[in-house]
Amino acid sequence: MVDAGDREGLYRACRLCPRECGVDRTKAKGFCGMGDTVVAARAAKHFWEEPCISGGDGRGTGAVFFSGCTLKCAFCQNMRISREGWGREISVRRLADIFKSLEDEGAHSLDLVTGTQFIPSILNALDLAKPKIPVVWNSGGYEKAETLRLLSGYVQVYLPDVKHVSARLSGLCAGAEDYFRHAKEALLEMRRQTGENVVGEDGILQRGMLVRHLILPGCTTDSIAVLSFLHDTLPDVPVSIMRQYMPVPWCRIRGLDRKITDREYERVLSAAHALGIRGYMQEKESASESFVPAFDGEGIDD
Ligand code: SF4
C-alpha cells in the first residue's frame, strides 16, 4: 500500500500499467504519452452510459475524460485524446474542484474515463474532493491488479472493457499480446474490491461492476470467447454488448474497415442468450459518430 505522501513517487519510475515503461515522468513520457501533470479533454455531465450509470432522469453521470492512453487501440474513435494526447493540463486542486462541481450539479456518479496513467493524482484529488456519490472507474481493462489495489476504498463501481481474449488480436490491435492475461487478473481484483452489485432505489449502481465488450467486424469468435470467459468467471456481473464499432481512416488493419453486420451481431447475441448472460444490448442506431462526445475542453478551463 502506498500512502498519500508517496503517490507522486509512482510517476518517477512509472510501472502503473502493464506497459511498465519505467520512465521518470517528471522528465519524460512513456507509452501513454503523458507526463506527471494531469491532462483532461472534457469534464461534463454525460447521459449516454448504460442506464445504471447515467440514469434516465436527466441527472447523468459526471464524466471526466483523461488524455493519453495505456492501450491505444488502432481503431480508437477518440484518437485525438488517446494517441495525440489533446487536452488541457490541470492541477490536482483543479481536478478536485471539477469533481465537486459535477457532484454539486447533481450527477449520479463521477465517471473517470481512461485514468490509469494518472492514478496518483486522481487519488490525491479524490482525497481533497471526498465525493459522496459513487466513483466509477471506466477503463479499457488493461490494468495491473497491483495498481488497482491503490483504488480500493476510492472506487465503488468498475466499468471495464474486456476487448479480446485472443493474444493475436490484442497484439494486432494494440501491440498488447498480454491484454487478456492482465484483464483477467484485473477483473478479479475489481470484483474482490466491490463484492456483489448493489443497485439503489433509483436504479443506479452504487457498488459493483459492469463489463463492456465491443464487437469487432470479423471477430465474433473472439467475442464469444469473451462472453464465455465472463460467464464462467463472473457469472453475476452484467455485460454491456456494444455494436457501435465505426471504422476510422487511421486504422490500417485489414477487415476493420467496416461496421459489423446484423448477422455478426445476432451471432454474438445468440451466444450471450445461450450462456444466460444478462445486461445491455445496443441498438443498431448507436453505430454513429454522433455518440462520440465532443472533446473540446468543456469543463476543464478555470
Ligand atoms: S502509465 Fe504510461 S508511463 Fe506508466 S507504465 Fe503505463 S504507459 Fe508507461
Side-chain angles (χ1 to χ4, degrees):
M1 187 69 187
V2 179
D3 72 38
D6 293 337
R7 281 182 193 140
E8 299 287 335
L10 294 169
Y11 288 133
R12 280 195 279 279
C14 187
R15 291 195 157 71
L16 286 169
C17 84
R19 302 283 183 188
E20 299 203 321
C21 305
V23 296
D24 181 349
R25 288 174 55 188
T26 64
K27 300 186 176 116
K29 292 174 179 174
F31 178 90
C32 59
M34 292 289 125
D36 66 340
T37 302
V38 173
V39 183
R42 181 179 168 87
K45 299 272 229 62
H46 188 54
F47 306 97
W48 301 282
E49 304 288 31
E50 288 78 357
C52 68
I53 304 290
S54 285
D57 56 2
R59 286 173 58 188
T61 182
V64 181
F65 292 85
F66 293 96
S67 305
C69 184
T70 60
L71 206 47
K72 297 186 183 170
C73 300
F75 53 79
C76 181
Q77 293 189 357
N78 302 333
M79 182 79 161
R80 196 164 167 236
I81 64 169
S82 62
R83 199 170 281 258
E84 295 168 7
W86 187 87
R88 304 217 161 98
E89 288 196 348
I90 47 172
S91 65
V92 165
R93 177 76 256 174
R94 172 72 188 130
L95 183 59
D97 289 344
I98 287 171
F99 291 162
K100 278 201 254 188
S101 310
L102 290 167
E103 183 169 7
D104 290 348
E105 285 169 37
H108 280 295
S109 53
L110 288 179
D111 181 14
L112 309 185
V113 187
T114 321
T116 306
Q117 60 279 17
F118 296 121
I119 281 178
S121 309
I122 290 172
L123 290 173
N124 288 341
L126 289 170
D127 272 340
L128 291 173
K130 296 187 180 20
K132 293 180 187 61
I133 50 178
V135 174
V136 179
W137 191 253
N138 183 339
S139 89
Y142 192 46
E143 308 267 20
K144 283 169 64 176
E146 181 191 344
T147 303
L148 287 176
R149 281 194 274 281
L150 300 173
L151 301 176
S152 184
Y154 287 88
V155 166
Q156 286 71 46
V157 175
Y158 282 99
L159 186 55
D161 294 334
V162 177
K163 292 175 185 285
H164 322 279
V165 165
S166 159
R168 192 191 66 76
L169 194 54
S170 58
L172 190 66
C173 292
E177 287 82 2
D178 59 354
Y179 173 83
F180 182 62
R181 177 166 66 81
H182 285 287
K184 192 164 51 171
E185 285 174 22
L187 259 70
L188 294 176
E189 171 57 22
M190 292 171 185
R191 196 47 159 173
R192 187 194 68 75
Q193 288 181 27
T194 67
E196 286 183 10
N197 283 10
V198 176
V199 178
E201 284 177 8
D202 54 3
I204 299 295
L205 193 54
Q206 298 296 313
R207 173 171 282 279
M209 286 177 73
L210 170 65
V211 174
R212 285 173 168 167
H213 173 69
L214 174 68
I215 307 169
L216 299 180
C219 300
T220 54
T221 300
D222 198 61
S223 288
I224 294 168
V226 167
L227 297 178
S228 299
F229 157 73
L230 292 170
H231 168 262
D232 293 346
T233 313
L234 297 165
D236 58 328
V237 170
V239 182
S240 180
I241 300 176
M242 303 186 292
R243 64 169 303 161
Q244 70 197 48
Y245 180 82
M246 282 283 293
V248 288
W250 48 84
C251 178
R252 303 274 180 238
I253 298 173
R254 203 148 40 113
L256 295 187
D257 54 354
R258 63 170 175 86
K259 295 182 186 178
I260 67 163
T261 62
D262 289 348
R263 199 161 161 200
E264 287 173 321
Y265 185 57
E266 276 150 26
R267 180 170 182 237
V268 175
L269 274 205
S270 342
H273 288 138
L275 289 164
I277 284 178
R278 62 194 181 83
Y280 303 94
M281 320 289 161
Q282 228 169 18
E283 299 300 322
K284 190 175 181 181
E285 292 68 37
S286 61
S288 153
E289 282 172 21
S290 63
F291 279 75
V292 180
F295 295 115
D296 52 5
E298 182 180 347
I300 301 299
D301 295 323
D302 286 318

